[in-house]
Amino acid sequence: MAARAQLSEIDRSLEHGLSPRQNCADRGRQNFIFHVKRKLAAINNQGLHTVAQHRSGVEDPTREQSEEALTGSAPFAAWSALNIGAQRQMWVALGDMIDRQYDDLERRRQALETRSKQGSLEIDPAFEMPRYLLDYAFHGQPGGYIDNRGDTDIRAGVLQEAGGALYSRGIGSGLRDSKAQAVLRYLNEQFPGLSPKRILDLACGHGSQTCGYAAAFPEAETHGVDAGEALLRFAHYKSESLGIPLHLHQQDAARTGFEDGSFDLVVSNILLHEVPTDVLEQIMVECWRLLAPGGVVIHQDVPTQKPDMPGFRKFMAMWQTEHNDEPYWERFCNTSVPEALIAAGFNRAHTFEDYVPQLAGPLLWYFVGAQKV
Amino acid sequence: MKVQGPQGAAKPQYFDDPAIDALYRMVLVLGEEIAVLQEQVHAMTALHAEGESPTEQALDAFHPDEAFDKLRQRFAERLLEPVQHLIDRELST
């Protein structure tokens, strides 16, 4: 049985039993993409902002003024082509790295299969895939979140984890932090003494954040749901290699099969901006149903809801909708999550919405949730 | 159950002439291949200086230092310098 990984170890630098191995060429490719992304982020923050100000003649251009000012300008066209080009190359470079060593990854998966399990994996052969996941390859990830090539496939999970880490580094997020650690710091401040017995991570994906929650609350039983079979399979073997027991289920986050009131803590990371509005509302209803009295739900997502977000930033965030396979980003920005929570049954006085700076990075974390009282 | 996931949506054309979009993609691919060669040459040179054979395994296991990462960064910045020139030209009009 593997030694149990500690919360402080579970960040973007974590190596585990199914981590792909970089060769010299992979290192060159991925570092090139990383540095290109870093520089493009700096050009976005400084140069393009100045161009928008200059062409609009306004110090703080609105979203519409920013769009009008930048559309058709040579620097913006160049930045856009390079940004999307770097994103495409990221997926190709990572996909090639994974495919080259897939036989080795499969051998490692088989070796983990033979060990005694602490957690569990439940794949539903009758699972009905939500339509929006069939239609969109979020962030341009080839195959999206749901690609599954067979009963032992883990490729989508390896790719999602590697892509997420490189993308986050490229936009300036440091290696020594994670979304789960940020949520846990926030929960510790807002709900000191919270000690859940059962935790549910909605849309748990490759399971890194789920591992973080389980490591933070080792006495709790931690569950995760996701639609992607290969993601869940990867998360299962990865968590086993880390000595962290997770109970993973192929279920729709909007309609899980758990009993009413069966969790004390329900979390999600970067889920809400990737679902249609009606699904977001249904997820809030499901959170209300799943929480026991006194339980807490917290969702972490992109900080585009912030009312005082400058218009230029809003425009650049919306650019993702059309250019980086983020079809629901704009609708998410125009949706009040607290109102959706209240409509689902939560008391207005016990909902919260907050923006917290990253520990290692330039961005803000967006937290929204409620306590069921 | 086997599921063939979706592929990324077609991306907009950013320049009036689609050949310019294609050229940007080519430059990025070329930059990536140069970065691979730089990585390999650096590892080979460093291993040689330490009296080690630059085998494939040794190249893969080699850990470049921070000074080399600065060179990687500088290469990407130089490649993207023309974008800054476009910005400067825009601001001067």
Side-chain angles (χ1 to χ4, degrees):
Chain A
M1 187 182 294
R4 189 172 179 137
Q6 301 300 302
L7 176 61
S8 59
E9 301 173 279
I10 303 173
D11 56 27
R12 293 189 190 90
S13 67
L14 180 68
E15 295 272 326
H16 53 76
L18 290 179
S19 294
R21 291 167 181 150
Q22 267 190 349
N23 67 17
C24 187
D26 296 327
R27 214 165 52 230
R29 290 184 200 291
Q30 291 172 33
N31 278 296
F32 171 73
I33 292 163
F34 161 66
H35 284 298
V36 165
K37 282 178 167 284
R38 283 300 294 271
K39 182 61 185 170
L40 290 171
I43 291 171
N44 170 1
N45 290 332
Q46 295 152 18
L48 292 182
H49 191 195
T50 314
V51 170
Q53 289 171 316
H54 178 74
R55 285 176 62 116
S56 67
V58 178
E59 177 67 21
D60 184 14
T62 63
R63 178 188 156 185
E64 291 74 21
Q65 287 168 328
S66 299
E67 181 170 7
E68 193 181 337
L70 288 174
T71 303
S73 79
F76 186 55
W79 180 87
S80 300
L82 289 163
N83 204 34
I84 284 306
Q87 184 76 354
R88 277 180 169 149
Q89 276 179 230
M90 179 183 86
W91 292 121
V92 172
L94 296 173
D96 287 351
M97 174 182 72
I98 293 163
D99 292 340
R100 185 188 69 240
Q101 60 188 289
Y102 196 80
D103 289 348
D104 178 54
L105 286 165
E106 170 57 15
R107 275 192 292 275
R108 286 193 261 159
R109 186 201 66 78
Q110 286 174 10
L112 288 163
E113 173 64 29
T114 61
R115 292 186 355 193
S116 65
K117 303 280 176 33
Q118 300 182 68
S120 60
L121 173 65
E122 183 185 69
I123 299 296
D124 178 4
F127 182 72
E128 195 172 327
M129 191 63 71
R131 183 73 237 173
Y132 66 95
L133 289 172
L134 289 164
D135 288 343
Y136 297 106
F138 292 91
H139 319 135
Q141 177 176 336
Y145 297 152
I146 59 167
D147 205 48
N148 184 44
R149 301 174 181 192
D151 293 343
T152 59
D153 186 29
I154 56 169
R155 189 180 184 280
V158 189
L159 187 59
Q160 188 193 46
E161 182 183 58
L166 187 50
Y167 177 83
S168 297
R169 285 179 64 212
I171 59 171
S173 298
L175 280 174
R176 310 301 306 188
D177 199 7
S178 73
K179 299 177 186 79
Q181 289 188 19
V183 167
L184 289 161
R185 285 194 298 273
Y186 187 77
L187 285 174
N188 194 39
E189 287 167 13
Q190 302 299 321
F191 301 93
L194 181 75
S195 180
K197 302 257 184 320
R198 279 170 57 93
I199 302 169
L200 176 62
D201 185 4
L202 298 171
C204 62
H206 54 73
S208 291
Q209 314 317 319
T210 330
C211 284
Y213 300 118
F217 298 109
E219 305 303 319
E221 188 177 285
T222 302
H223 294 253
V225 297
D226 204 285
E229 186 174 331
L231 294 185
L232 287 165
R233 196 174 289 114
F234 171 78
H236 171 64
Y237 292 107
K238 166 185 162 174
S239 58
E240 291 294 325
S241 81
L242 293 168
I244 294 178
L246 299 182
H247 302 283
L248 302 168
H249 315 261
Q250 188 179 28
Q251 292 188 10
D252 184 346
R255 288 177 181 79
T256 72
F258 300 108
E259 290 181 12
D260 294 0
S262 51
F263 292 94
D264 317 292
L265 176 62
V266 176
V267 295
S268 81
N269 296 99
I270 310 288
L271 163 66
L272 303 183
H273 80 271
E274 292 187 349
V275 298
T277 309
D278 61 322
V279 175
L280 183 147
E281 289 166 354
Q282 181 55 41
I283 287 170
M284 300 307 148
V285 171
E286 188 67 356
C287 291
W288 169 260
R289 185 184 75 76
L290 290 172
L291 277 179
V296 174
V297 55
I298 181 166
H299 302 281
Q300 174 267 321
D301 217 293
V302 291
T304 48
Q305 307 269 4
K306 203 164 189 292
D308 60 353
M309 189 178 189
F312 170 75
R313 295 268 160 267
K314 275 189 189 157
F315 168 63
M316 294 306 290
M318 294 312 150
W319 183 91
Q320 301 280 338
T321 299
E322 190 180 354
H323 301 253
N324 196 25
D325 300 271
E326 288 281 14
Y328 302 112
W329 190 302
E330 179 150 13
R331 271 174 268 183
F332 171 65
C333 293
N334 296 325
T335 299
S336 167
V337 185
E339 290 303 324
L341 283 161
I342 292 159
F346 291 96
N347 186 313
R348 185 177 296 275
H350 296 279
T351 64
F352 59 86
E353 186 177 41
D354 217 339
Y355 300 86
V356 178
Q358 285 184 324
L359 265 194
L363 307 179
L364 293 172
W365 299 111
Y366 172 56
F367 299 124
V368 59
Q371 184 168 31
K372 185 173 182 178
V373 293
Chain B
M1 184 198 321
K2 280 190 182 178
V3 179
Q4 186 170 6
Q7 300 304 308
K11 296 295 178 278
Q13 185 179 312
Y14 298 109
F15 296 94
D16 293 339
D17 183 347
I20 302 179
D21 287 80
L23 194 59
Y24 269 81
R25 287 201 292 276
M26 289 180 212
V27 168
L28 270 182
V29 169
L30 197 58
E32 185 180 312
E33 293 306 322
I34 291 171
V36 169
L37 292 175
Q38 286 175 331
E39 196 82 21
Q40 289 168 334
V41 168
H42 174 71
M44 281 184 191
T45 309
L47 288 166
H48 180 72
E50 290 168 14
E52 290 183 38
S53 297
T55 61
E56 192 177 336
Q57 289 82 357
L59 289 175
D60 293 348
F62 179 76
H63 291 287
D65 58 16
E66 279 188 28
F68 181 66
D69 195 53
K70 292 280 181 214
L71 291 178
R72 290 174 177 145
Q73 180 182 345
R74 181 72 192 119
F75 173 59
E77 287 173 352
R78 281 189 61 203
L79 193 75
L80 300 179
E81 259 172 21
V83 182
Q84 187 58 49
H85 298 159
L86 290 173
I87 290 170
D88 295 341
R89 199 174 73 169
E90 190 73 49
L91 297 177
S92 67
T93 57

